[in-house]
Amino acid sequence: MRVARFDRAFLGPLLAGAFAFATQALAAESVFTTLPLATVDTAPLLVSADMRDGVDLSGEWNWSIDPYRSGIAGFHGEAPNRTEQRWLDIDVRKTLAQDNRELFEFDLDHDRKVKLPGSWLAASPEMRHYQGLVWYRRHFDSPAGRKGRYFLRFGASNYATVVFVNGQPVGRHEGGFTPFAFDVTRLLRNGDNQITIGVDSAATAATVPPPVTDWENYGGVTRDVKLVHTSDTYVDSAWVRLTPEGKIAVDAHLDGPAAANQPVQLKVAGLPFDLKGRTDAQGNWRATATAPRALMRWTPENPKLYDVTLAAGDDTWRDRVGFRTIERKGADILLNGKPVFLRGISMHEEEIAANPARVITPDNARALLAEIKNGLHGNFVRLSHYPHSEVMTRTADEMGLLVWSEVPVYWMVAWSNPSTLATARNMLAENILRDRNRASVVIWSVANETPVSDARNAFLRTLIGDVRRLDPSRLVSAALLVERDKVAAVPTMTMADPLADDLDIVSINTYNGWYTPDRLADLPSSVWNLPADKPLIFSEFGADAKAGFHSPDGMQKFSEEFQAEFYRKTLEMADRVPTLRGISPWILKDFRSPRRQNPDFQMGWNRKGLISETGQRKQAFSVLAEYFARKAGEPSK
Ligand code: GCB
């Protein structure tokens, strides 16, 4: 039986009952529906797992496509027989050679190799549009005389994942952008061990996101896989932060036989701070103490991080934590008590490359964020439209960029489907529990451009409630749509979404002059009817431009000149909105999107980037850079 804890019980009854697995339509009754589902209520969290000891299982894996999903169901829908199950611990070559009654129509151990993490879409031209099931296999050695616990921890795998170790079922996960882990201690054997993973990228009406988006659905194991080693009792989750009252607060949970009544000690290196306590009967510890006077607050200008340790019995949990506060007061956003203007841009999780595979190494993350921080003079990034790699949020912590983090509740999800809601809630919880220790993250966003309806309002209000329960220390937002007056001579926009009342920050995506026939010259005189007492972020605006395509006279769409003028006029418009406290235009870099197929300009790329896919800056880049340089010099309102 699992121990109760503050982070878990909250989703409780809903998650327990409602997970009918959103890919069910595809998989019927199969390992994708029957293996134990890893959620924040049922599986280890291993918060800050990237700081723990372990064996990195990145690198070469064998792989095999399974377009008809034969590995999970026979051709009449029945359970696959022994010779179809990809995960069994069988030497296929040897078995075929020894017994001519055996038949296997796959052999993962001898199939092609690919480097993980990374999406299969970029692995070869014929995989470009593959959406379906792929199997991966690798072996690793495990020493004899093992002690403690071993967890298989995935940074992310898109979208539905089943995991087997040494032929034994381990578990499954749903959701392509958040971490999950399984305790595999009892499944390991001395010497050679075999892992098989099935990843199905197919979206359905019930998945989050659903099939229609405006970005590439990068199937596969897109983030690190690691075998993490801990002592029998270990710190499964910890959250360390600065409160607005000037205290350092800690919430922690221990898991294992000695979790209850365990002495614990929190230290912050370089500061006279040493907080001792004892866990309760459930292994929980919650404490606060006044922050030392010497504590330097994390800011974008001085992103100071401290090495924090939490010692508990044989385990020491580590993280690097920045201490700062974020609050809203009327229409102001206060960072460490002072008004701040968010000079940002939106970004997809896609490295700068001609053929990106969603591989976010520290270097790739740094290259992207440096364009914002140094190139654009920014202090903010919207990590859209789903939780990005933990490498990205750690790099933002280090470089000093404020972060908007979001879940892929995008356009039209199945608002009335309880299983979809359960999936979204779990995803949001996994994201928050992973990144609550990141000073950079200041906004949790629950949705993007979702049309108002009663079912949608109820769905999103549930998510907002979850955010407030899991992390009341940050601000909540959602990128909303506005209603446009159909007869007014100048663009006249009114916020009519009832959800605005539930949010700390009203965020609006606006594309007047790109998707509407408005003349760019009319944009500055736009009229905005908005709540007067809440901060506004223009969370998107943008126009496509193909790097190197010019039309100085005609100002044709897709030209660099048009995009630059669109930015000039939209920024002029934005400056006239009194509650504006930040912008994150769309978007830093051109990104792959199968819905964009204009052969002259797009060919599978959304061209609204200020840099091309290989990093070439367009004219609009310097328009925004100059605007931000000016903003950085002005006192924030
Ligand atoms: C939007 C969406 C974003 C799209 C963008 C576009 O409003 O939020 O995901 O990529 O517009 O380029 O149309």
Side-chain angles (χ1 to χ4, degrees):
M1 201 189 73
R2 299 209 61 87
V3 263
R5 52 187 247 185
F6 13 86
D7 295 337
R8 290 192 181 201
F10 94 105
L11 291 175
L14 198 134
L15 280 189
F19 271 112
F21 211 64
T23 51
Q24 205 158 6
L26 294 167
E29 177 79 348
S30 79
V31 286
F32 276 90
T33 59
T34 56
L35 291 192
L37 180 67
T39 70
V40 295
D41 281 349
T42 61
L45 294 176
L46 274 175
V47 169
S48 310
D50 52 337
M51 306 279 290
R52 283 194 175 270
D53 291 342
V55 181
D56 180 7
L57 295 174
S58 307
E60 302 243 292
W61 288 62
N62 296 95
W63 66 301
S64 170
I65 61 167
D66 189 1
Y68 293 151
R69 297 186 175 81
S70 316
I72 58 169
F75 53 87
H76 290 152
E78 71 282 12
N81 64 32
R82 187 183 68 92
T83 61
E84 287 165 336
Q85 297 173 11
R86 305 313 199 249
W87 55 87
L88 292 187
D89 204 21
I90 290 173
D91 185 329
V92 167
R93 267 193 193 162
K94 215 157 117 192
T95 313
L96 283 174
Q98 279 172 355
D99 186 344
N100 69 5
R101 293 169 303 169
E102 294 275 15
L103 175 62
F104 294 91
E105 295 184 273
F106 62 88
D107 180 1
L108 268 171
D109 279 328
H110 297 99
D111 214 316
R112 293 164 298 172
K113 285 189 194 284
V114 69
K115 215 168 143 223
L116 295 184
S119 171
W120 64 64
L121 290 194
S124 66
E126 66 270 22
M127 291 300 284
R128 175 84 252 157
H129 297 292
Y130 185 82
Q131 297 297 342
L133 178 58
V134 169
W135 297 94
Y136 293 101
R137 158 83 54 88
R138 74 162 280 165
H139 292 255
F140 65 95
D141 282 336
S142 196
R146 289 179 304 282
K147 288 205 178 76
R149 292 165 77 175
Y150 289 83
F151 299 91
L152 255 187
R153 197 259 184 189
F154 295 79
S157 169
N158 186 28
Y159 172 82
T161 306
V162 284
V163 179
F164 303 84
V165 167
N166 295 325
Q168 301 300 312
V170 174
R172 66 189 166 103
H173 182 257
E174 176 170 1
F177 305 98
T178 43
F180 54 99
F182 303 102
D183 187 338
V184 294
T185 313
R186 263 168 289 189
L187 296 175
L188 297 185
R189 59 193 181 201
N190 298 343
D192 176 67
N193 287 265
Q194 183 256 88
I195 311 179
T196 307
I197 307 172
V199 188
D200 196 332
S201 69
T204 71
T207 55
V208 184
V212 176
T213 68
D214 185 28
W215 69 86
E216 191 76 274
N217 188 29
Y218 283 101
V221 180
T222 52
R223 299 185 194 152
D224 285 348
V225 188
K226 192 167 159 183
L227 186 70
V228 174
H229 182 217
T230 71
S231 48
D232 287 330
T233 298
Y234 74 103
V235 180
D236 188 44
S237 81
W239 179 25
V240 182
R241 67 207 175 273
L242 184 67
T243 70
E245 298 74 40
K247 302 208 158 145
I248 292 180
V250 57
D251 289 23
H253 175 76
L254 272 52
D255 188 273
N261 303 313
Q262 177 70 234
V264 281
Q265 184 175 21
L266 180 75
K267 286 191 185 179
V268 181
L271 286 179
F273 187 85
D274 186 353
L275 182 58
K276 294 191 177 113
R278 202 174 261 281
T279 57
D280 65 13
Q282 279 76 42
N284 292 325
W285 182 46
R286 199 170 247 180
T288 54
T290 304
R293 293 179 75 88
L295 178 117
M296 277 169 66
R297 297 197 174 204
W298 184 99
T299 63
E301 296 73 35
N302 179 24
K304 169 76 184 159
L305 300 177
Y306 289 93
D307 288 316
V308 171
T309 51
L310 201 169
D314 294 333
D315 190 36
T316 302
W317 177 89
R318 286 168 216 285
D319 207 335
R320 296 186 71 211
V321 176
F323 294 96
R324 55 100 195 100
T325 59
I326 190 82
E327 293 160 282
R328 169 183 86 95
K329 197 169 153 216
D332 282 332
I333 299 171
L334 306 180
L335 177 67
N336 295 319
K338 293 193 212 101
V340 63
F341 185 89
L342 304 177
R343 309 186 307 271
I345 194 156
S346 303
M347 204 175 89
H348 266 293
E349 186 177 73
E350 218 181 61
E351 68 274 25
I352 300 172
N355 186 24
R358 189 166 280 163
V359 180
I360 303 299
T361 60
D363 282 352
N364 289 346
R366 214 159 251 282
L368 287 160
L369 296 185
E371 285 294 62
I372 302 174
K373 176 91 186 173
N374 310 327
L376 290 172
H377 314 295
N379 62 3
F380 174 55
V381 60
R382 176 181 177 208
L383 298 180
S384 46
H385 278 303
Y386 37 75
H388 284 220
S389 162
E390 56 211 321
V391 174
M392 193 63 79
T393 48
R394 280 207 185 272
T395 309
D397 260 18
E398 285 164 16
M399 291 176 68
L401 279 164
L402 298 160
V403 167
W404 157 312
S405 177
E406 148 175 7
V407 285
V409 177
Y410 184 91
W411 290 353
M412 282 301 292
V413 308
W415 306 117
S416 303
N417 184 336
S419 132
T420 303
L421 177 62
T423 301
R425 295 184 72 190
N426 187 56
M427 222 173 251
L428 180 68
E430 286 173 339
N431 187 31
I432 293 175
L433 296 175
R434 189 196 76 178
D435 272 358
R436 281 190 303 188
N437 290 304
R438 301 283 70 77
S440 53
V441 178
V442 288
I443 297 168
W444 300 118
S445 170
V446 296
N448 181 77
E449 293 184 353
T450 49
V452 175
S453 72
D454 287 347
R456 167 273 199 181
N457 298 347
F459 189 109
L460 295 187
R461 285 189 178 124
T462 303
L463 296 187
I464 292 167
D466 286 349
V467 177
R468 300 214 186 274
R469 240 167 308 156
L470 279 171
D471 182 5
S473 81
R474 290 179 171 87
L475 305 177
V476 188
S477 196
L480 304 177
L481 298 162
V482 274
E483 281 181 16
R484 188 196 162 83
D485 189 313
K486 297 218 170 44
V487 291
V490 291
T492 302
M493 323 291 293
T494 302
M495 170 48 65
D497 190 331
L499 208 74
D501 293 342
D502 300 79
L503 304 171
D504 299 313
I505 299 176
V506 174
S507 299
I508 294 174
N509 295 351
T510 172
Y511 285 89
N512 288 341
W514 180 257
Y515 289 123
T516 69
D518 294 303
R519 287 177 309 166
L520 297 184
D522 289 339
L523 295 183
S525 46
S526 300
V527 176
W528 289 90
N529 298 313
L530 301 167
D533 60 339
K534 280 202 182 170
L536 170 77
I537 293 179
F538 279 125
S539 36
E540 284 181 33
F541 58 81
D544 282 57
K546 174 97 195 292
F549 175 67
H550 296 282
S551 90
D553 304 331
M555 289 285 290
Q556 193 195 318
K557 274 187 174 158
F558 292 106
S559 68
E560 289 200 30
E561 287 77 10
F562 186 94
Q563 189 190 39
E565 187 63 6
F566 175 94
Y567 266 74
R568 275 183 218 106
K569 294 300 179 208
T570 305
L571 291 170
E572 225 181 289
M573 177 277 288
D575 264 343
R576 296 187 192 177
V577 182
T579 54
L580 186 78
R581 293 297 180 271
I583 60 171
S584 51
W586 196 254
I587 185 170
L588 178 65
K589 184 185 77 66
D590 290 354
F591 61 97
R592 295 214 67 124
S593 173
R595 65 192 289 125
R596 311 291 177 174
Q597 295 295 345
N598 182 304
D600 294 334
F601 305 113
Q602 297 175 311
M603 288 302 277
W605 293 89
N606 182 313
R607 294 288 181 202
K608 294 190 188 69
L610 293 185
I611 61 176
S612 73
E613 69 273 30
T614 51
Q616 189 184 336
R617 290 180 182 178
K618 307 178 193 173
Q619 285 180 10
F621 189 98
S622 53
V623 175
L624 188 64
E626 279 160 30
Y627 177 80
F628 281 161
R630 175 163 71 72
K631 277 282 185 201
E634 284 174 3
S636 295
K637 286 174 211 154

